[in-house]
Amino acid sequence: NDIVGICLFKNEDIYVKRVVSNIVDFCDKIIIIDNNSTDRTLDVVRYHFGGLPKVNIIKCHDHRLTGKLTYEYFKTKSFLFAVDGDEIYDPTGLKKIRKRIKEGFYDKNWKISGSSFHVQEWKHTHLSGFTCPPNKHVVKLYNFNVINDWTQGERLHGAGPSPYPN
């Protein structure tokens, strides 16, 4: 099972280094999509992660088209991990989940959910925000090998509920 991170960022230069640093060991491959940032997001990503073979950096002018980047993973032994620019994941917890994914523990599950921390403010070394739960789980880690149809109303990126091509 490969774990593919797909990150859509827009104007998140103060978060992006921490976000990607925390998932880089968890993912076998990371697709970073910059959606027309006007701040230093793309520069930060290129500087810190552009030299890693597992990282593919894409500048996209229409976020609704980014779902197409997932098509090649349908019905493959891939787990896709959709990460937003304000989601900070615990690398220690991800390491435990990675081991279980690689061992096949989640092979029959289509989605893995867990707790997350939503950053609302970042001041130097202090983060503030809220955890999940009590709010709904936003972790988007999908087993693309078991997906036969995508009509449940969720989306990874792009417009509409279905990432399948027409």
Side-chain angles (χ1 to χ4, degrees):
N1 293 322
D2 284 330
I3 301 170
V4 180
I6 184 164
C7 309
L8 182 61
F9 298 134
K10 181 166 185 160
N11 294 335
E12 301 181 281
D13 61 356
I14 64 171
Y15 305 116
V16 71
K17 181 181 176 194
R18 170 72 61 195
V19 170
V20 178
S21 293
N22 283 15
I23 69 165
V24 74
D25 290 334
F26 176 69
C27 298
D28 297 303
K29 178 180 180 181
I30 301 175
I31 302 165
I32 297 175
I33 306 155
D34 179 75
N35 181 27
N36 280 337
S37 291
T38 56
D39 65 2
R40 296 189 61 248
T41 298
L42 192 56
D43 295 331
V44 172
V45 168
R46 285 180 176 150
Y47 179 80
H48 291 285
F49 307 105
L52 299 178
K54 69 163 79 178
V55 175
N56 183 16
I57 301 169
I58 300 167
K59 186 162 179 74
C60 181
H61 298 287
D62 187 350
H63 74 280
R64 295 171 296 177
L65 303 176
T66 60
K68 292 180 179 180
L69 298 171
T70 66
Y71 295 167
E72 68 183 275
Y73 299 104
F74 281 90
K75 297 308 290 174
T76 67
K77 291 190 64 97
S78 299
F79 281 76
L80 261 73
F81 184 34
V83 178
D84 288 335
D86 62 348
E87 295 174 351
I88 308 287
Y89 289 92
D90 170 26
T92 304
L94 290 178
K95 184 176 182 179
K96 293 175 186 175
I97 294 169
R98 178 181 170 84
K99 183 178 185 301
R100 295 187 82 169
I101 288 172
K102 294 295 185 173
E103 292 171 346
F105 185 83
Y106 298 109
D107 281 358
K108 295 189 188 296
N109 299 83
W110 85 275
K111 180 180 178 183
I112 301 170
S113 292
S115 298
S116 62
F117 181 78
H118 295 267
V119 176
Q120 290 179 314
E121 187 174 11
W122 187 341
K123 290 185 177 179
H124 305 288
T125 60
H126 176 76
L127 296 173
S128 65
F130 55 94
T131 59
C132 178
N135 298 315
K136 72 174 190 147
H137 293 284
V138 297
V139 177
K140 300 167 294 273
L141 181 56
Y142 301 100
N143 179 356
F144 268 36
N145 189 42
V146 300
I147 297 175
N148 293 318
D149 195 8
W150 192 279
T151 58
Q152 80 288 351
E154 292 191 41
R155 67 177 181 86
L156 285 173
H157 294 294
S162 177
Y164 281 106
N166 294 329

